[in-house]
Structures are given as C-alpha cells and as structure tokens.
Amino acid sequence: DGGITQSPKYLFRKEGQNVTLSCEQNLNHDAMYWYRQDPGQGLRLIYYSQIVNDFQKGDIAEGYSVSREKKESFPLTVTSAQKNPTAFYLCASSIGTSTVRQQFFGPGTRLTVL
Amino acid sequence: QKEVEQNSGPLSVPEGAIASLNCTYSDRGSQSFFWYRQYSGKSPELIMFIYSNGDKEDGRFTAQLNKASQYVSLLIRDSQPSDSATYLCAVRAQYGNKLVFGAGTILRVKS
C-alpha cells in the first residue's frame, strides 16, 4: 500500500520536554510538509522540504525543527521553546515536479501538553 | 485581509439539495486551487483541484474557478448526510509548492 504514515497517533508531553513526530511516505514524492491545525482553524505551514537535505521555514517555524536525511522521511521535533504546542499535526507530501502539485496528507498526530 | 477566505458556516442543507461552498483569494498570481474534505478528528482528503477558468466536474462535485474575480467554489449535488464535514479551500501561489489554506466551511446535510 502506498501512502503516508504518521506516528504516534496520540502524544502526551510534559512541559519542558522535546518530542519528535514521525512522518514516512512510500509514494516517492519529492516534497514533504508539516502543518499545524488548531480547533476551528485552517492549516498553518510549519516547515517544508522540496529535496533531501534541504528544508525551508513556513509561517510558524518558531519552536520547531526538522530534518530530511532520506527522501521518504521528514520528522518534526517540537521543542520546549514552542509556547502552545497542543494541536493536531499533519504531514503531507507532493510530487515536486507535477504542474498541479496536489498534496496528500497522513492521518495526523494529536499532541497534548500536560 | 486573509490570503484565502471562506465563510466558516455552518452551512445547513437538506438531503438531496445542492450545497454551494465559496472561497476567495488575494494573490492574483495563484495557479492551482484545491478543495479538501475533513471529517472531525481526521486528516484532510483531496476532493478536487482546478487550475483553468471555468467548471470541472467529478461525479457529484463541481469546482468553479473565476480568476478575474479571484473566486473558486465547490458545488455538491444530491447532498448526502455523509457529506457533512469541514471543507477546506487551498491555493497554490504562482511559484513554489506551498499551499495556503482557508479556515474551512462546516457543511451539515440534514436527512
């Protein structure tokens, strides 16, 4: 089955801890993205990567970090510097060279800070 | 002004009716336009995309694009209770892979 997997589905963190959210895709897509969604709001872009070993900040990158060491993997670390990390985190991917470049989403990780 | 605007709703329609969802965008250079459906607690699912002026039909769904008016809409014919969800409009700028999302419109189809 081709698709995007995210783990864990639910994650609980104590204040002051860093946590890493996993995102893996086997679609052979070049580009990968991380979004954050808060209740009743749309998706806000955290980081994106168009190629291995390269990534760019999105609109709300402060308090987050990413790496792209492999084409299929794009983990997101939520650091203790992120003031309000409780949210629904979505990973997406797209074919970088496609004219339309539609994005496909993983199932998401719901992070709660205790 | 937000880059992508949608009426938050909820939009309530009876079963079998046509649901009309609207979206406006501010960047005139925008190239591609997407409609995603998101059920509560789930991730967004791509329904349709459109990049040329006019209409694009796929089953019960029709996307309409008017670049001059910077307006894109989604029509759902013969609405079903299973269509009840939040519909997100997303716009890709002229250059790059980034999408900008609207806040979404809640649709409720009543049986």
Side-chain angles (χ1 to χ4, degrees):
Chain A
D1 272 346
I4 305 171
T5 57
Q6 292 185 243
S7 63
K9 186 174 181 179
Y10 299 97
L11 185 58
F12 298 91
R13 191 194 91 173
K14 293 181 180 179
E15 285 200 28
Q17 286 182 335
N18 293 353
V19 290
T20 298
L21 282 57
S22 169
C23 178
E24 304 276 334
Q25 55 97 2
N26 60 5
L27 301 168
N28 200 33
H29 285 175
D30 300 300
M32 297 186 74
Y33 314 81
W34 274 105
Y35 293 92
R36 168 183 173 140
Q37 187 176 35
D38 294 283
Q41 297 189 33
L43 279 63
R44 292 185 290 168
L45 183 64
I46 303 173
Y47 269 98
Y48 64 105
S49 168
Q50 300 187 73
I51 195 169
V52 174
N53 292 323
D54 186 49
F55 47 83
Q56 288 79 40
K57 292 182 179 180
D59 301 317
I60 55 165
E62 185 176 352
Y64 300 98
S65 65
V66 294
S67 63
R68 187 88 186 275
E69 297 176 1
K70 298 185 296 182
K71 186 176 184 177
E72 58 270 22
S73 178
F74 191 41
L76 173 74
T77 296
V78 184
T79 74
S80 57
Q82 170 49 234
K83 298 305 179 187
N84 297 296
T86 295
F88 188 39
Y89 289 87
L90 289 156
C91 178
S93 69
S94 69
I95 300 174
T97 55
S98 161
T99 301
V100 178
R101 302 176 201 170
Q102 61 265 44
Q103 294 182 13
F104 299 94
F105 286 86
T109 292
R110 194 166 297 278
L111 173 64
T112 302
V113 174
L114 303 174
Chain B
Q1 181 190 6
K2 293 183 180 178
E3 293 181 69
V4 178
E5 293 208 49
Q6 296 181 255
N7 188 321
S8 61
L11 173 65
S12 293
V13 300
E15 184 176 358
I18 296 175
S20 178
L21 304 162
N22 305 314
C23 173
T24 58
Y25 59 95
S26 60
D27 181 4
R28 282 199 172 274
S30 298
Q31 293 292 302
S32 307
F33 307 85
F34 305 85
W35 283 101
Y36 286 85
R37 177 176 61 200
Q38 186 176 26
Y39 293 114
S40 181
K42 303 295 185 182
S43 63
E45 171 192 12
L46 182 65
I47 298 176
M48 291 192 70
F49 62 86
I50 187 168
Y51 52 86
S52 300
N53 271 333
D55 295 0
K56 179 182 179 182
E57 187 175 318
D58 184 0
R60 295 187 296 113
F61 299 96
T62 299
Q64 299 175 318
L65 175 60
N66 184 327
K67 288 189 176 180
S69 300
Q70 296 174 240
Y71 176 94
V72 58
S73 65
L74 179 70
L75 302 178
I76 306 175
R77 289 181 299 281
D78 188 23
S79 295
Q80 302 297 309
S82 59
D83 294 326
S84 297
T86 297
Y87 289 80
L88 300 170
C89 172
V91 176
R92 185 172 72 82
Q94 186 171 6
Y95 301 107
N97 288 332
K98 292 171 57 176
L99 293 185
V100 179
F101 284 82
T105 298
I106 298 171
L107 174 65
R108 294 181 181 156
V109 181
K110 298 182 178 180
S111 57

